[in-house]
Amino acid sequence: MARYLVTGGAGYVGSHVVLALLDRGDDVVVLDNFSTGHRAAVPDAAALVEADLADGRALAEVFAAWKFDAVFHMAALSLVGDSMRQPLHYIRTNLGNSLGLAEAAVRAGCKRFVLSSTAAVFGVPRILPIDEAAPREPVNPYGESKLMVEQGLAWAEGAHGLRSACLRYFNAAGADPAGRAGEDHTPETHLIPRTIMAAMGRVEPVTIFGTDYDTPDGTAMRDYVHVADLAAAHLAVLPRLEEGSVAYNLGNGAGHSVREVIAAVERVSGRAVPHTVGPRREGDPPVLVASSARIRAETGWLPRHDSLEEIVRTAWNWHAANPGGYAGRVAQAA
Ligand code: UDP
C-alpha cells in the first residue's frame, strides 16, 4: 500500500484527489491551513494535519512522521483577479510554499511531486487547442507564480532527482458523482457554481462578462473538465514519473461559451437562470481549449465525464444536497 501527502486536500480539487486515492486503498495525509478549504471536506479515513506550508518546522514534522511515495501539491492561492491586485503576495506565497515543500520532500527522500498547475501559464494562446509546446507567457501573477514553480521543479530534477508532474488544469468543474465532495468557495466567483446558485435564487442574477468576443455567440469559451477526471489524472501520471518529469494539459478539448453554460444549467435544472450582460472581465482570454492528447497517449488517461451536461448535473446535485456548502453539512451532522 502506498502513502501520499496531499496539500490543500481540504480544497476543491484536493478533496477529489483524496477521495480517488482512498477509493483505491491508498493511505492519505492531508495538510491544509483551512484558509479556503473545509475541515468537513476531509474524510475520516485520511490523516489530517492543520498547518501552513510556510511553517518549515511543521513541514519537517510531517515528513518525519510519515514516509510518502509522492506529494500532491494542491494548496495555493488561485484567483486571477486577486493576483492582479496583490501580485507580490501571490507570487511569494505560491512560489515560496511550493519550493519549501519540494525541498522538504527532497530532504526526506521523497522524489515524486505532482503539482496543481494551470492553463494560466499560457496567457492568451495564439493557437488552439493549446498543447504542451505552446509558449508559456502568463498574463497575470497567478499564472506567473505557477510557471515559476514549474521552472523550479524542472531544475530540481537534475540536481536532486525530484521527478515532477505539472498538471495544467483548464476549468475544473462538477462534483464527486457519489455526492461526497463538491465546490464551495466564499465568495463564489466561478461561472458554473454561480449560475447554479442564481438558478436556485441564492445569489443575484449571473452577469455575462462580455458579449462582444469573436466567438459564435459573442461570449467567452472555456474547456470545462470534470473535477473527478482531474483527480483521476493525478493517479494516472504516477507510473509515468518513473521515466522522468512530465507536464500535461488537462481538459476535454471542447470549448463551451458562457451562454452554453447557462443553457446547460437551465436544461439540467428545468429552471430559468436570471442573468444580465456586463463588460468583459479584465485579463480574460476569449477562448481557452486544451489539447490533452499527450496525457492520453502517455498514460491512458481518458475523461469519463466529458459532457457539459453531466458536469453541470453533478454540480447541481451537490448544490441541491448541500445548500450551505460544507458548513451546512456540519450543522446537519450536529
Ligand atoms: N464568467 C461570467 N460571469 C461570471 C463568472 C465567469 O461571464 O459571473 C465567465 C468568465 O468571464 C470566463 C468564464 O465565465 O469567460 C469562466 O470563468 P471562471 O471564473 O469560472 O473561470 P476562469 O476561466 O476565470 O478560470
Side-chain angles (χ1 to χ4, degrees), residues 4 31 138 231-232 296 309 319 324 328:
Y4 298 103
L31 187 145
R296 289 181 188 225
E309 195 108 355
H319 285 279

Side-chain angles (χ1 to χ4, degrees), residues 186-257:
T186 307
E188 188 52 78
T189 62
H190 297 102
L191 179 64
I192 290 182
R194 271 204 68 89
T195 304
I196 287 172
M197 290 157 90
M200 290 177 167
R202 290 186 197 154
V203 295
E204 64 277 16
V206 68
T207 302
I208 299 176
F209 296 147
T211 51
D212 58 348
Y213 285 106
D214 186 14
T215 58
D217 69 15
T219 66
M221 301 180 80
R222 294 288 179 274
D223 187 339
Y224 296 92
V225 53
H226 198 284
V227 65
D229 287 328
L230 283 185
H234 291 70
L235 278 55
V237 299
L238 288 175
R240 182 65 184 71
L241 283 180
E242 300 315 309
E243 293 162 46
S245 294
V246 288
Y248 294 125
N249 296 354
L250 278 178
N252 284 314
H256 293 287
S257 72

Side-chain angles (χ1 to χ4, degrees), residues 16-323:
H16 289 81
V17 170
V18 169
L19 287 175
L21 291 167
L22 292 174
D23 283 349
R24 69 171 201 182
D26 290 326
D27 262 3
V28 177
V29 178
V30 168
L31 187 145
D32 206 293
N33 67 359
F34 298 117
S35 59
T36 57
H38 307 275
R39 201 176 288 270
V42 182
D44 291 340
L48 174 60
V49 178
E50 180 175 357
D52 196 291
L53 278 172
D55 181 348
R57 187 181 301 181
L59 262 190
E61 280 172 13
V62 167
F63 281 99
W66 290 281
K67 200 162 171 46
F68 299 110
D69 293 273
V71 172
F72 294 94
H73 178 38
M74 254 117 271
L77 302 174
S78 64
L79 294 177
V80 168
D82 283 354
S83 82
M84 296 291 279
R85 288 183 287 275
Q86 311 175 67
L88 302 177
H89 176 58
Y90 254 69
I91 293 173
R92 179 170 59 82
T93 303
N94 285 353
L95 183 61
N97 286 350
S98 301
L99 299 189
L101 175 66
E103 277 187 308
V106 166
R107 229 178 274 127
C110 173
K111 301 287 184 71
R112 304 289 181 265
F113 197 97
V114 182
L115 173 74
S116 271
S117 190
T118 168
V121 300
F122 294 111
V124 181
R126 277 171 249 161
I127 299 172
L128 293 167
I130 305 170
D131 67 16
E132 288 79 3
R136 290 176 295 167
E137 298 166 335
V139 292
N140 53 61
Y142 168 59
E144 190 78 63
S145 71
K146 292 285 184 171
L147 174 56
M148 289 173 167
V149 179
E150 287 196 4
Q151 289 170 331
L153 291 175
W155 285 105
E157 183 173 17
H160 307 299
L162 181 69
R163 304 262 176 89
S164 60
C166 298
L167 302 182
R168 291 125 180 194
Y169 312 155
F170 280 61
N171 285 62
D176 174 44
R180 298 169 296 176
E183 190 165 10
D184 180 0
H185 296 114
T186 307
E188 188 52 78
T189 62
H190 297 102
L191 179 64
I192 290 182
R194 271 204 68 89
T195 304
I196 287 172
M197 290 157 90
M200 290 177 167
R202 290 186 197 154
V203 295
E204 64 277 16
V206 68
T207 302
I208 299 176
F209 296 147
T211 51
D212 58 348
Y213 285 106
D214 186 14
T215 58
D217 69 15
T219 66
M221 301 180 80
R222 294 288 179 274
D223 187 339
Y224 296 92
V225 53
H226 198 284
V227 65
D229 287 328
L230 283 185
H234 291 70
L235 278 55
V237 299
L238 288 175
R240 182 65 184 71
L241 283 180
E242 300 315 309
E243 293 162 46
S245 294
V246 288
Y248 294 125
N249 296 354
L250 278 178
N252 284 314
H256 293 287
S257 72
V258 176
R259 285 197 193 281
E260 283 179 288
V261 168
I262 292 175
V265 171
E266 291 186 328
R267 274 197 310 278
V268 165
S269 66
R271 301 188 195 184
V273 172
H275 62 273
T276 58
V277 165
R280 293 182 181 195
R281 188 171 64 178
E282 199 193 345
D284 267 352
V287 183
L288 291 176
V289 176
S291 163
S292 294
R294 184 183 285 181
I295 185 170
R296 289 181 188 225
E298 294 186 2
T299 75
W301 175 77
L302 259 189
R304 294 172 54 213
H305 314 281
D306 60 352
S307 82
L308 181 61
E309 195 108 355
E310 194 180 343
I311 290 171
V312 166
R313 186 174 302 110
T314 57
W316 176 273
N317 290 344
W318 159 260
H319 285 279
N322 300 275

